Amino acid sequence: MSGHPRLELAIEQARAAREAGNHPFGAVLADASGEVVLSAQNTVVTDSDVTGHAETNLVRLATRTLGRDLRSYTLYTSTEPCVMCAGAIYWAGISKVVFATAETELAEMTGDDPENPTLTMPCRDVFGAGQRPTEVLGPFDLPGARAVHEGFWRS
């Protein structure tokens, strides 16, 4: 593993999503001590749910199992959260987001693939429009984060 073990775990979730027939995205949630407490992957295809992104699935799971006060948690994700996922993260109150691949890199990889009509808006812009701060770290150049997308998208 690299110097980013929680991001590597998110990338493992992305690989598992792809192997299950879904889009290659994964996310994990860590508590204040850094221990990973939950993980989720994209389920858009298998659940027939266009909102089944890894981060949104993780937020739903977290609020059901950990409660509605998630300020002390950090979300790690294989790819920068999209606008929808950033909104879900914000509403959950998660105070920190760490991601590997940037949305702009994803757009380059997916091209005009109708499976990912990317909204080109950085998550920092979404969080910056809110009333409470959300710390964002990323992108981090991890080879596995790009590799999980190779050959998946029609570009």
Side-chain angles (χ1 to χ4, degrees), residues 77-88:
T77 182
S78 60
T79 306
E80 182 175 3
C82 71
V83 173
M84 177 185 69
C85 292

Side-chain angles (χ1 to χ4, degrees), residues 104-115:
T104 53
E105 284 182 87
L106 177 64
E108 290 172 11
M109 289 185 279
T110 62
D112 64 354
D113 191 318
E115 287 292 311

Side-chain angles (χ1 to χ4, degrees), residues 1-17 19 24-30 34 36 38-41 75-79 98-101 137 140-148:
M1 277 200 181
S2 72
H4 302 283
R6 289 167 206 86
L7 282 177
E8 294 289 353
L9 290 172
I11 294 165
E12 286 178 25
Q13 287 295 309
R15 276 191 209 98
E19 289 169 6
F25 300 99
V28 300
L29 191 69
V36 172
L38 294 170
S39 62
Q41 55 191 250
L75 188 147
Y76 295 83
T77 182
S78 60
T79 306
V98 183
F99 66 89
T101 302
L137 301 175
F140 289 94
D141 186 19
L142 301 178
R146 287 188 65 86
V148 75

Side-chain angles (χ1 to χ4, degrees), residues 5-108:
R6 289 167 206 86
L7 282 177
E8 294 289 353
L9 290 172
I11 294 165
E12 286 178 25
Q13 287 295 309
R15 276 191 209 98
R18 182 176 177 166
E19 289 169 6
N22 290 296
H23 301 164
F25 300 99
V28 300
L29 191 69
D31 64 16
S33 74
E35 180 182 348
V36 172
V37 294
L38 294 170
S39 62
Q41 55 191 250
N42 182 289
T43 58
V44 166
V45 176
T46 55
D47 286 352
S48 295
D49 178 359
V50 296
T51 68
H53 293 194
E55 300 89 344
T56 303
N57 287 341
L58 187 58
V59 166
R60 288 182 187 126
L61 178 61
T63 56
R64 282 194 307 265
T65 59
L66 301 172
R68 293 182 56 195
D69 183 6
L70 300 176
R71 289 176 290 182
S72 64
Y73 291 87
T74 300
L75 188 147
Y76 295 83
T77 182
S78 60
T79 306
E80 182 175 3
C82 71
V83 173
M84 177 185 69
C85 292
I89 292 164
Y90 174 80
W91 285 110
I94 295 168
S95 61
K96 186 174 181 180
V97 174
V98 183
F99 66 89
T101 302
E103 183 75 17
T104 53
E105 284 182 87
L106 177 64
E108 290 172 11

